[in-house]
Amino acid sequence: MSLIFLPILSIAQNQTIKGTILDEDHRPVSSAIVYVDGEKVASSNLRGEFTFETADKTKINTINVIKNGYKMQTWATNGPNKISVLLSYAPIYIEGTVLVGKRPFPNKLVKISGEPFSAVKTNSAGKFKIKVSRNFIVKTSTIFLVDGEPVSSSQFFFSKKLNNVTINLPADKNSNNNVPVLAKKTPNTPTQQQIIEDKDIEIDPILVVVVYDEDISPADSLRVNINDKEFLTDSNGEFEVYADSLNENTLAINDYKIVKTKYDYEDNYMFVYISSFDENAPPKEEMNIEYSENFQAVFNTLEAEKQILQETGVSLRKEIQKISEKLEKDNTTRSKQAALEAYLERLTSSLIENELAYEDAQFKTNQMMERMRSQINQQTSTIEQIEEEKESVEKERMLYFIIAAISLILIFIFYKNSQKLKEQRDDLKEITERLQEAKDDVIKSHEEMLSVKDIGQKFTSQLDFENHMVDLQESVNELLPASTFGIGVYNKYERRLEFRNQVSDVGLESFYSESIDDTQSLAGWCFNNEVELIINDYDTETNLYIPQAENKREFRNKSVIYMPLIIDSKAIGVITMQALAKNQYEELNVSTLKSLASYASIAVSNYVAYKELKEKNKSIYDSMRYAKTIQNAILPSNKFIKKSFSDSFLLYRSKELVSGDFYWYKEKEVEGKLRKLIAVVDCTGHGVPGAFMSMIGNALLNDITNTKKRLSTVEILDSLNVGVQDSLRQEESLNDDGMDLALVSVVENDDKTIDVEFTGAKRPIYIFKQQSKELEVVNGDSKSIGYTTRKVKNFTSKKLTLEKGDIIYLSSDGYVDQNNLDRRKIGTNRLKSIILDNAALPLDQQKEKLEIALDDHQKGGVEQRDDITIMGVKL
């Protein structure tokens, strides 16, 4: 048990580093091998991602990535425990030979038309090596240029197998030096010497400058200033500039600082790394170099680094010699010479930096050599000691042989001693082999635990794991063969294990189940006994777990694993992994499978809890919808209101499914006249509590108007106030709920005038008079219905005489209190302005204007903060 526990502690102390490998076009690079400080740690997947474990991420010194067709460019941290690696495309070259009459043609410039790379010179054997674009293909239409002159397709031959081109040009009889190119037939054709001189003047190298941000992403559309000239980077962060005009001291990028620059003289690239200015950022700590015990890997890494630095130094020296010679021979302008001198000075600085880096790598190599010598010396001492012991044994043997000549007894003793020594050697060898096997088992167990941890995180990160079974099966398949993979969740009501989206080599099986009472079910046996079940030959081993039957089930898979999923000492399901071939699970770490089953148990437990919560939420939502249906049933119908007020509107929006606002309408004949009662009521709260208050208020208003003979608005509100206090027992309890409302009584007179009586509990009404075209605000009393803790006040009424065509507006406070993204409310003044601007329109259109203004105010996803009710009626 202790051997199993130690690797788990070790994993808990390690840190998981995640990385992404991208190419120059910021596309993922797969199947790339990752080395950390000379030790192989991972390879990238199809998304360019990789992970590895480290005890201390701050002690990572070097990261190298190897991929055919690419070369390592740089790497950088990109957030906590994240690394981004950038690979550049390895240069692609085509080799060739220029011949004139089958004789080599040296010192001639060769270029491919349409390719962005500079021309190259042939050597003394007429051979050249020219760089081409990544997807370039030599065709019959390809135009080769020799000293600027085109070569016809019949004069070159390309071998695709050898990646080699041969240009065979005819000799020009009119030329003294047999220039092997086709002369342009124009009157102003320059001589070969002029062409060469012009080319010598124009072959100043063009650098491709690539600008990267801190996360190694290309700096797109960035303006770069060089010697008062402005360059704009493209989508790859690149722009071109003459090398002799580039001076690092004059290279500037607004709002950014240049962290470092790096040259690739082999491909004429300059890489610039930038970051935004941050004066308060703490300085980065330099990491101390620590070598792992894998001397050979570190030594190879250092040797590769020295080789690269040495090659870079050779390139720099050649470039320095070339520029120096040009400065000695060149008689161009002073500005041109100054640019060349600046370029020469920069090359010299780069050479010094390269030499220092080479010396540092050499120093590290010497350190490694010293450590390796020390270890070799230790091993040599051990070998010498063994040799001395061996020599001593041989001497002892010789002595035994001499004594054997004298006595057969001594021979027998010598034989016995020899046998004993051989047994000791065999024992030592056996112990060594066992230690190596134990070491291999520990390493294998460590790797398996890492895999189990990654798989477990995928299990527990998804509540609906059944929709991610394919991804889970691919992960499990990396740990052990699992052509079939499934998770069965126990349904206690049906007493069965339900498998959803089980993955197999024939596809997804959306659903199937196995009863735990089925005696022929291996899944049921595993679940009932809560014991792991591992079978390597289905046909012969199943009889140990299930009884033999005449019609034995056919089973395609011959190797089968079932593991019980247990939470709080209770089985909640099973997990199964199956393979077509036999004996796939012979050498298996059962503790690793139990760890995997533990993760799966947590995932299933979360899944069951998620399903139960989802069902409860649905039940609550269905209840709320039914409550809304009941609430809508007690509200007066629009047809009933339209029958009394043909031109009217109702804007009614609840914050939740049920509302704390409600509107009320009643008609009753009093003293021979028809009295129309209209109310808009805003109850305490919203949602379910508000809905209960609205039902109490609606019932009380109906009861009061049905039993009272006089229907003055003051009398109705007084009775409503008493009714709410009695219904909620506010004198006995701490309940302090209530409601605000506006109540209007309308009576039409014979002289076509209309008597309006209004009483408000903290709510006003708005009256638009057609004759004066003005909007009048009539305020209610500063007293609410209910709220026993409030100061006692009496309700009052306002009596108005209006004319036909006048409009009355009643509302709750939800509309004016609605806020926008800036937390500003619509407000009473805005509501009055909207009503006044649209009062001449029919009331249905006025409702649309109010809704448009409300929707515009809520733009940007602002949540409705309260129930909203506005009613308008034209008298």
Side-chain angles (χ1 to χ4, degrees):
M1 181 63 77
S2 60
L3 291 175
I4 298 173
F5 185 66
L6 287 175
I8 297 176
L9 288 178
S10 176
I11 294 171
Q13 295 172 354
N14 286 345
Q15 296 173 313
T16 300
I17 306 297
K18 296 183 178 180
T20 305
I21 303 175
L22 304 174
D23 61 16
E24 290 179 0
D25 300 322
H26 256 244
R27 294 178 300 189
V29 178
S30 63
S31 303
I33 308 301
V34 181
Y35 291 85
V36 176
D37 293 337
E39 182 179 356
K40 178 181 176 182
V41 297
S43 61
S44 59
N45 60 19
L46 292 175
R47 295 185 291 273
E49 299 171 347
F50 65 91
T51 60
F52 64 91
E53 301 285 335
T54 181
D56 188 354
K57 65 179 181 179
T58 63
K59 292 186 177 180
I60 296 176
N61 183 36
T62 59
I63 292 180
N64 291 325
V65 176
I66 298 176
K67 169 72 174 178
N68 189 25
Y70 297 84
K71 63 180 181 178
M72 178 72 179
Q73 180 54 46
T74 188
W75 65 278
T77 56
N78 186 21
N81 294 352
K82 291 185 179 180
I83 290 176
S84 294
V85 179
L86 182 66
L87 301 183
S88 60
Y89 297 125
I92 299 175
Y93 296 92
I94 292 177
E95 297 183 359
T97 308
V98 178
L99 303 174
V100 176
K102 298 185 178 180
R103 294 175 57 190
F105 196 4
N107 298 322
K108 295 303 172 185
L109 293 170
V110 180
K111 193 179 187 305
I112 299 177
S113 178
E115 284 295 289
F117 305 102
S118 303
V120 297
K121 273 189 178 183
T122 59
N123 62 12
S124 59
K127 297 186 180 295
F128 64 88
K129 182 177 180 182
I130 189 167
K131 184 177 177 182
V132 295
S133 301
R134 186 168 181 80
N135 299 318
F136 177 76
I137 300 175
V138 177
K139 304 177 182 177
T140 56
S141 59
T142 301
I143 299 175
F144 287 89
L145 302 174
V146 178
D147 278 352
E149 296 295 334
V151 177
S152 66
S153 60
S154 63
Q155 294 173 342
F156 73 83
F157 170 75
F158 177 71
S159 172
K160 186 175 181 181
K161 181 177 180 181
L162 300 176
N163 195 33
N164 187 285
V165 64
T166 303
I167 301 175
N168 197 348
L169 302 177
D172 188 353
K173 296 181 180 180
N174 298 324
S175 176
N176 294 328
N177 52 3
N178 293 332
V179 178
V181 292
L182 299 177
K184 294 182 180 177
K185 295 182 180 181
T186 60
N188 297 324
T189 302
T191 66
Q192 179 203 1
Q193 186 63 33
Q194 289 173 330
I195 293 173
I196 295 174
E197 290 175 357
D198 290 342
K199 288 295 177 181
D200 285 341
I201 292 172
E202 296 177 0
I203 61 171
D204 290 333
I206 293 178
L207 280 180
V208 178
V209 182
V210 188
V211 184
Y212 290 115
D213 288 325
E214 291 175 296
D215 60 351
I216 320 180
S217 62
D220 184 13
S221 302
L222 189 67
R223 298 187 182 277
V224 182
N225 296 312
I226 300 175
N227 292 328
D228 298 329
K229 290 184 180 180
E230 190 173 80
F231 298 86
L232 184 67
T233 61
D234 59 14
S235 60
N236 294 323
E238 299 180 358
F239 67 90
E240 292 185 353
V241 65
Y242 280 101
D244 59 1
S245 66
L246 178 60
N247 189 330
E248 293 178 1
N249 297 327
T250 58
L251 189 148
I253 304 175
N254 293 337
D255 299 327
Y256 292 91
K257 64 179 180 180
I258 299 174
V259 178
K260 65 176 180 178
T261 57
K262 180 180 178 182
Y263 289 92
D264 186 347
Y265 290 102
E266 181 182 358
D267 301 323
N268 285 343
Y269 271 83
M270 174 183 179
F271 301 95
V272 179
Y273 301 89
I274 63 173
S275 66
S276 56
F277 285 107
D278 188 0
E279 297 178 353
N280 298 323
K284 294 184 178 179
E285 296 182 359
E286 296 185 356
M287 294 185 292
N288 293 325
I289 299 175
E290 291 189 4
Y291 297 101
S292 67
E293 292 303 322
N294 191 344
F295 294 116
Q296 187 62 42
V298 177
F299 183 80
N300 290 341
T301 302
L302 290 172
E303 285 299 315
E305 182 180 351
K306 286 167 59 182
Q307 181 68 25
I308 293 171
L309 291 171
Q310 192 173 16
E311 291 174 357
T312 303
V314 172
S315 300
L316 286 171
R317 289 187 181 91
K318 288 182 179 178
E319 190 70 7
I320 289 171
Q321 183 178 0
K322 174 184 172 183
I323 300 303
S324 299
E325 292 174 354
K326 188 165 186 177
L327 279 171
E328 292 175 0
K329 296 186 297 183
D330 203 342
N331 296 322
T332 54
T333 62
R334 179 59 186 168
S335 61
K336 184 73 172 181
Q337 287 184 341
L340 288 173
E341 289 173 355
Y343 181 44
L344 181 61
E345 183 179 351
R346 187 168 63 257
L347 289 173
T348 304
S349 299
S350 298
L351 179 60
I352 292 172
E353 292 177 0
N354 189 78
E355 293 296 328
L356 291 174
Y358 182 86
E359 290 177 5
D360 183 61
Q362 183 65 38
F363 175 74
K364 295 176 184 176
T365 303
N366 292 336
Q367 283 186 323
M368 287 302 304
M369 292 295 293
E370 287 298 327
R371 296 187 66 183
M372 292 175 69
R373 289 192 189 99
S374 176
Q375 187 171 12
I376 290 171
N377 289 336
Q378 292 177 1
Q379 293 176 351
T380 302
S381 298
T382 304
I383 293 172
E384 289 176 353
Q385 184 177 358
I386 294 173
E387 290 294 331
E388 290 177 359
E389 292 177 358
K390 182 178 178 182
E391 185 178 358
S392 176
V393 171
E394 293 295 332
K395 288 180 179 179
E396 187 176 355
R397 274 185 173 183
M398 186 61 67
L399 180 61
Y400 288 156
F401 276 116
I402 295 172
I403 298 174
I406 302 172
S407 175
L408 292 175
I409 297 174
L410 295 178
I411 294 175
F412 179 77
I413 296 173
F414 172 76
Y415 174 77
K416 286 294 184 180
N417 288 337
S418 298
Q419 286 295 106
K420 183 177 180 181
L421 182 61
K422 183 177 182 300
E423 290 176 0
Q424 290 176 347
R425 287 177 178 175
D426 292 340
D427 291 342
L428 181 60
K429 182 178 179 181
E430 183 180 353
I431 292 171
T432 303
E433 290 175 351
R434 286 205 300 266
L435 288 175
Q436 185 62 41
E437 290 176 358
K439 179 182 177 182
D440 294 341
D441 291 341
V442 170
I443 293 174
K444 183 179 179 181
S445 176
H446 178 72
E447 292 175 349
E448 288 179 351
M449 292 304 296
L450 289 178
S451 300
V452 169
K453 180 182 177 182
D454 291 339
I455 297 170
Q457 290 175 346
K458 292 181 181 179
F459 269 122
T460 56
S461 62
Q462 301 292 341
L463 288 175
D464 54 343
F465 69 86
E466 61 185 22
N467 295 324
H468 302 272
M469 292 296 290
V470 173
D471 292 338
L472 294 174
Q473 187 262 351
E474 290 178 354
S475 299
V476 171
N477 212 20
E478 296 177 0
L479 185 64
L480 71 167
S483 58
T484 298
F485 174 74
I487 296 177
V489 180
Y490 178 55
N491 185 335
K492 62 182 179 181
Y493 302 106
E494 302 291 337
R495 289 183 60 79
R496 66 185 184 185
L497 295 167
E498 298 177 346
F499 294 81
R500 288 180 171 83
N501 292 339
Q502 178 165 294
V503 185
S504 68
D505 54 339
V506 297
L508 281 177
E509 189 171 0
S510 60
F511 176 83
Y512 86 92
S513 64
E514 293 189 22
S515 172
I516 64 171
D517 299 321
D518 185 358
T519 57
Q520 294 294 313
S521 171
L522 292 174
W525 187 95
C526 174
F527 179 85
N528 291 325
N529 292 278
E530 297 184 3
V531 176
E532 63 272 7
L533 187 152
I534 301 175
I535 293 176
N536 280 291
D537 187 350
Y538 178 84
D539 296 329
T540 60
E541 297 180 29
T542 51
N543 297 334
L544 301 174
Y545 305 98
I546 57 178
Q548 298 185 29
E550 294 181 1
N551 298 322
K552 190 174 183 179
R553 293 180 182 176
E554 291 293 332
F555 211 70
R556 296 174 61 252
N557 298 313
K558 302 306 178 184
S559 298
V560 181
I561 295 177
Y562 280 98
M563 299 288 291
L565 305 181
I566 299 174
I567 290 289
D568 295 332
S569 302
K570 181 179 179 182
I572 60 174
V574 297
I575 182 172
T576 181
M577 290 148 280
Q578 303 171 12
L580 291 171
K582 297 180 181 179
N583 304 319
Q584 294 296 301
Y585 306 132
E586 287 184 339
E587 298 180 2
L588 203 59
N589 190 338
V590 177
S591 63
T592 301
L593 290 180
K594 288 183 177 180
S595 298
L596 181 62
S598 298
Y599 283 113
S601 300
I602 296 172
V604 171
S605 178
N606 294 340
Y607 169 79
V608 172
Y610 168 71
K611 289 291 186 183
E612 291 178 353
L613 181 61
K614 191 174 180 180
E615 289 296 325
K616 289 180 181 178
N617 287 339
K618 184 178 181 301
S619 175
I620 293 171
Y621 182 75
D622 291 342
S623 299
M624 293 288 288
R625 287 179 57 193
Y626 187 68
K628 180 176 178 63
T629 303
I630 296 174
Q631 187 179 44
N632 289 339
I634 68 173
L635 296 174
S637 66
N638 288 332
K639 290 182 179 180
F640 183 44
I641 297 174
K642 286 282 187 183
K643 186 178 180 181
S644 297
F645 300 98
S646 59
D647 196 3
S648 62
F649 78 83
L650 174 67
L651 174 57
Y652 185 61
R653 290 186 183 181
S654 59
K655 172 178 170 56
E656 299 176 8
L657 277 176
V658 291
S659 176
D661 283 7
F662 73 95
Y663 54 94
W664 179 79
Y665 180 73
K666 186 81 170 182
E667 291 183 358
K668 190 170 183 180
E669 189 171 339
V670 179
E671 296 178 355
K673 292 185 177 181
L674 182 63
R675 186 177 295 271
K676 301 175 182 179
L677 298 168
I678 310 169
V680 169
V681 187
D682 183 0
C683 299
T684 301
H686 44 75
V688 174
F692 274 113
M693 286 295 298
S694 69
M695 297 184 72
I696 292 173
N698 186 80
L700 288 172
L701 284 172
N702 287 330
D703 182 63
I704 291 167
T705 54
N706 287 334
T707 57
K708 296 285 185 182
K709 294 183 178 181
R710 295 186 61 191
L711 294 176
S712 70
T713 55
V714 171
E715 185 179 3
I716 292 173
L717 260 63
D718 285 336
S719 300
L720 179 62
N721 186 42
V722 174
V724 169
Q725 292 178 357
D726 291 343
S727 298
L728 301 179
R729 298 180 182 177
Q730 292 183 331
E731 295 295 338
E732 305 172 10
S733 66
L734 298 177
N735 185 285
D736 196 28
D737 295 332
M739 56 190 72
D740 299 337
L741 77 157
L743 176 64
V744 174
S745 171
V746 178
V747 178
E748 297 182 4
N749 298 319
D750 295 336
D751 58 356
K752 297 184 178 181
T753 60
I754 300 173
D755 291 334
V756 175
E757 183 180 5
F758 163 67
T759 300
K762 282 198 170 181
R763 294 304 306 152
I765 61 172
Y766 306 96
I767 300 174
F768 179 77
K769 295 183 178 180
Q770 295 290 347
Q771 187 173 0
S772 63
K773 304 298 182 184
E774 293 179 352
L775 184 66
E776 180 181 346
V777 180
V778 182
N779 291 315
D781 297 314
S782 60
K783 171 182 172 64
S784 296
I785 301 297
Y787 302 110
T788 59
T789 59
R790 306 299 176 93
K791 185 177 180 180
V792 177
K793 293 182 180 179
N794 296 321
F795 287 111
T796 61
S797 65
K798 275 81 171 180
K799 296 184 179 180
L800 308 161
T801 300
L802 303 179
E803 299 179 354
K804 287 188 176 181
D806 292 345
I807 305 173
I808 301 175
Y809 301 91
L810 305 88
S811 70
S812 65
D813 61 359
Y815 193 95
V816 296
D817 286 346
Q818 180 60 47
N819 63 291
N820 60 9
L821 280 174
D822 297 329
R823 304 185 66 81
R824 293 183 180 178
K825 298 179 181 180
I826 291 180
T828 302
N829 291 335
R830 176 83 187 282
L831 175 61
K832 288 161 55 178
S833 176
I834 296 171
I835 293 174
L836 189 58
D837 291 344
N838 300 285
L841 298 175
L843 266 68
D844 287 343
Q845 295 183 23
Q846 292 187 35
K847 175 186 175 182
E848 292 179 4
K849 297 294 183 181
L850 287 166
E851 288 179 328
I852 291 172
L854 178 61
D855 292 339
D856 287 343
H857 193 72
Q858 286 184 260
K859 274 184 178 179
V862 178
E863 184 181 358
Q864 183 175 329
R865 62 179 297 174
D866 199 358
D867 301 314
I868 296 174
T869 306
I870 301 179
M871 179 183 284
V873 294
K874 180 178 283 189
L875 302 178

